[in-house]
């Protein structure tokens, strides 16, 4: 049993009034009560106890792919051998925990890396976050991700695989689920920094077949989707998560709220492109448009999630690249989104806690909240994130403990122990 007392509590949706005692038994939260605890307890002295953060658009192996490789048509996921890409995934799992992120929802990884990371973490082979494993990108022959260097076709896929027709789509989806994918990633449209000759990347019957096959096997579907007509089509067909959604509007927001569709706007990536002068007037227009739509989606009840295209592709061209996989970078998103008029700090923080927990577990468990019976993935923060969300981007100063599945992986508060899997000493590069 672990007891935290004199804790300021953010429960995943709101700050609870006063100070609280939170008791953990095994990997669950046993109780949450006001007042101090009797007996042995870890006195937080007014520090904030909150759910561990969860990022929801994560590519664990995307770290060493360069802009030069992308511009030359090299396929993502073939820049290094699969074993080295897996090692990158292990490294980035470590960076997540040091940043206060106890979970991630995968947005694609090559070589079954998500599923294998999950297996290694669950078996105690490596320390890491709770995760929802994603498939490779599924596209179609000759689409915007299919290398135009056709004379250099790879004999094995990297991050992308290309299939055609409903029958092949069903088979591919079922095979990915057999190999451990809990989410299927479709590249349904161009946009969001991925130019294409036309918006559509795959046919309606292919999307429909993927959604049916995934849902019939208990998996979810997420889609890279920026074009308005394609967003509408994906939502109508039952895609669970819309990534980016650049041309979302109020009618689509109403449809997403009705269907329960989740949205990951991931605006830092186009922000970087615009900062570098690589975006055109249309990209700037869409960037401003999405910022204006976010408060409307929040008010309509659409579940919005934190997460972006972290990679490091900008590390050589942007000083202090905000999308590099470095300690503290993932937490920058909270302050960024909370600066948008019409969004409160508590609402944005819920994007990376309560909302994200529902998506990671698929609604089959309680995560991302502090309430009796919920899974005990927690962090202790020195300070009040609701007064200053930027402290979540400075874990070396403010992150005092990380509890994953009821066990400390970082303990700077009790001084009682450091778990064997502690990740102390991972520094930002």
């Amino acid at each position: 049993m672990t007891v935290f007392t004199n804790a300021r509590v953010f429960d995943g949706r709101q700050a609870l009034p006063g100070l609280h005692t939170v008791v953990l038994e095994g990997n669950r939260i046993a109780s949450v009560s006001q007042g101090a605890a009797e007996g042995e307890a870890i006195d937080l002295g007014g520090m904030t106890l909150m759910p561990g953060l969860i990022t929801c658009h994560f590519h664990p192996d995307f770290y060493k792919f360069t802009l030069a490789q992308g511009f030359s048509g090299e396929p993502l996921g073939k820049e290094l051998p699969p074993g080295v890409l897996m090692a990158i995934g292990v490294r980035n799992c470590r960076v997540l925990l040091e940043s206060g992120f106890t979970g991630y929802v995968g947005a694609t990884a090559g070589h079954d890396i998500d599923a294998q990371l999950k297996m290694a973490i669950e078996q105690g082979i490596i320390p890491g976050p709770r995760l929802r494993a994603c498939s490779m990108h599924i596209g179609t022959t000759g689409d915007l991700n299919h290398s135009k260097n056709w004379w250099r076709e790879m004999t094995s896929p990297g991050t992308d695989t290309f299939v055609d027709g409903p029958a092949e789509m069903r088979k591919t989806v079922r095979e990915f689920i057999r190999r451990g994918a809990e989410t299927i990633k479709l590249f349904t449209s161009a946009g969001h920094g991925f130019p294409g000759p036309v918006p559509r990347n795959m046919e309606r019957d292919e999307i429909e077949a993927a959604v049916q096959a995934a849902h019939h096997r208990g998996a979810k579907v997420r889609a890279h989707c920026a074009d308005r007509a394609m967003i509408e089509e994906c939502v109508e067909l039952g895609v669970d998560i819309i990534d980016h959604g650049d041309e979302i509007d109020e009618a689509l927001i109403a449809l997403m709220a009705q269907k329960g569709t989740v949205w990951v706007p991931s605006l830092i990536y186009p922000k970087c492109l615009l900062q570098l002068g690589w975006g055109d007037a249309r990209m700037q227009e869409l960037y401003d448009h999405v910022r204006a739509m976010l408060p409307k989606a929040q008010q309509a009840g659409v579940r919005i999630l934190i997460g972006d295209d972290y990679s490091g592709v900008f590390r050589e061209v942007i000083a202090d690249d905000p999308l590099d996989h470095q300690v503290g970078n993932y937490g920058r998103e909270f302050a960024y989104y909370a600066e948008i008029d019409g969004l409160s700090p508590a609402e944005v923080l819920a994007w990376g806690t309560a909302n994200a927990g529902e998506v990671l577990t698929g609604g089959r468990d309680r995560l991302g909240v502090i309430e009796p019976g919920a899974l005990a993935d927690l962090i202790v923060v020195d300070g009040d994130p609701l007064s200053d969300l930027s402290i979540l981007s400075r874990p070396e100063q403010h992150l005092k403990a990380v509890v994953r599945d009821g066990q400390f992986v970082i303990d700077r508060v009790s001084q009682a122990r450091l778990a064997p899997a502690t990740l102390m000493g991972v520094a930002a590069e």
Side-chain angles (χ1 to χ4, degrees):
M1 177 187 296
T2 301
V3 181
F4 295 103
T5 194
N6 291 320
R8 184 199 310 265
V9 172
F10 175 77
D11 71 358
R13 300 181 183 89
Q14 63 184 349
L16 302 182
L19 298 179
H20 286 71
T21 293
V22 177
V23 178
L24 312 184
E25 291 185 0
N27 70 339
R28 299 278 171 177
I29 298 169
S31 65
V32 182
S33 59
Q34 275 197 296
E38 295 182 2
E40 185 176 345
I42 300 171
D43 189 343
L44 295 186
M47 289 191 287
T48 300
L49 181 66
M50 58 180 288
L53 303 171
I54 302 169
T55 187
C56 293
H57 186 107
F58 201 70
H59 305 291
D61 53 341
F62 193 7
Y63 180 59
K64 289 290 187 178
F65 191 77
T66 66
L67 287 170
Q69 288 171 309
F71 290 147
S72 68
E74 293 293 325
L76 180 64
K78 300 297 284 187
E79 66 272 22
L80 289 165
V84 179
L85 294 173
M86 172 60 80
I88 287 170
V90 173
R91 176 213 183 266
N92 291 337
C93 283
R94 190 172 64 189
V95 173
L96 280 167
L97 288 177
E98 278 285 0
S99 300
F101 284 75
T102 58
Y104 82 73
V105 177
T108 209
H111 314 288
D112 303 307
I113 285 175
D114 259 2
Q116 293 179 77
L117 283 171
K118 180 167 184 168
M119 187 183 302
I121 292 166
E122 288 182 345
Q123 292 188 17
I125 297 167
I126 62 170
R130 192 182 304 273
L131 70 92
R132 185 178 183 91
C134 191
S135 70
M136 297 164 59
H137 281 148
I138 301 179
T140 55
T141 300
D143 73 5
L144 62 89
N145 283 332
H146 204 177
S147 175
K148 301 306 182 285
N149 298 336
W150 51 267
W151 60 96
R152 297 179 59 204
E153 191 76 22
M154 296 290 176
T155 57
S156 61
T159 299
D160 294 89
T161 191
F162 306 98
V163 303
D164 301 289
E168 190 176 352
M169 182 67 75
R170 287 191 187 92
K171 184 175 182 178
T172 300
V173 167
R174 289 167 179 165
E175 176 62 17
F176 278 140
I177 295 169
R178 185 179 78 90
R179 299 175 70 90
E182 300 164 288
T183 304
I184 300 298
K185 175 69 176 285
L186 305 179
F187 225 95
T188 61
S189 87
H192 200 75
F194 289 80
V198 294
R200 180 177 290 279
N201 220 40
M202 61 178 56
E203 299 303 321
R204 183 183 179 95
D205 60 354
E206 293 169 327
I207 300 170
E208 184 175 27
V211 171
Q212 288 179 347
H215 288 178
H216 290 171
R217 292 286 194 273
K220 302 293 186 183
V221 179
R222 66 188 306 161
H224 174 107
C225 196
D227 174 73
R228 190 205 182 281
M230 291 304 301
I231 299 170
E232 184 173 30
E233 188 168 292
C234 285
V235 175
E236 288 175 346
L237 291 173
V239 168
D240 302 283
I241 302 171
I242 297 295
D243 287 314
H244 318 311
D246 295 1
E247 294 187 9
I248 196 170
D249 59 21
E250 292 184 54
L252 289 177
I253 285 170
L255 181 62
M256 290 169 70
Q258 176 191 339
K259 301 276 274 185
T261 315
V262 179
W263 183 21
V264 189
S266 55
L267 278 178
I268 308 301
Y269 180 75
K271 184 175 185 289
C272 289
L273 294 176
L274 292 166
Q275 177 183 334
L276 290 165
W278 296 351
D280 57 14
R282 178 59 176 163
M283 182 180 287
Q284 182 67 61
E285 178 186 341
L286 289 172
Y287 172 81
D288 295 336
H289 171 74
V290 171
R291 285 174 61 92
M293 288 295 104
L294 283 168
K296 296 181 179 181
Q298 177 70 36
Q299 187 174 10
V302 174
R303 284 179 297 166
I304 307 171
L305 303 177
I306 287 288
D308 218 300
D309 277 305
Y310 292 91
S311 63
V313 294
F314 298 123
R315 70 171 64 100
E316 295 179 358
V317 291
I318 296 180
D320 190 24
D321 173 11
L323 288 181
D324 205 350
H325 285 284
Q326 304 300 337
V327 173
N329 277 1
Y330 311 128
R332 292 184 180 188
E333 289 185 58
F334 295 101
Y336 164 80
Y337 285 111
E339 290 174 355
I340 298 173
D341 288 342
L343 294 174
S344 73
E347 288 171 337
V348 173
L349 197 48
W351 298 0
T353 52
N355 287 6
E358 290 179 18
V359 173
L360 194 157
T361 66
R364 295 170 181 163
D365 211 330
R366 282 183 290 165
L367 179 68
V369 292
I370 295 183
E371 58 186 36
L375 290 162
D377 290 2
L378 307 170
I379 60 174
V380 175
V381 177
D382 188 1
D384 179 8
L386 295 184
S387 297
D388 180 8
L389 282 170
S390 72
I391 69 176
L392 298 176
S393 68
R394 299 190 297 277
E396 70 285 355
Q397 299 173 31
H398 297 278
L399 183 65
K400 299 305 178 183
V402 175
V403 175
R404 167 72 168 84
D405 214 30
Q407 300 294 317
F408 281 95
V409 292
I410 297 174
D411 183 355
R412 300 166 185 154
V413 289
S414 75
Q415 302 303 312
R417 68 185 183 284
L418 286 173
T422 183
L423 307 177
M424 301 277 285
V426 178
E429 297 174 4

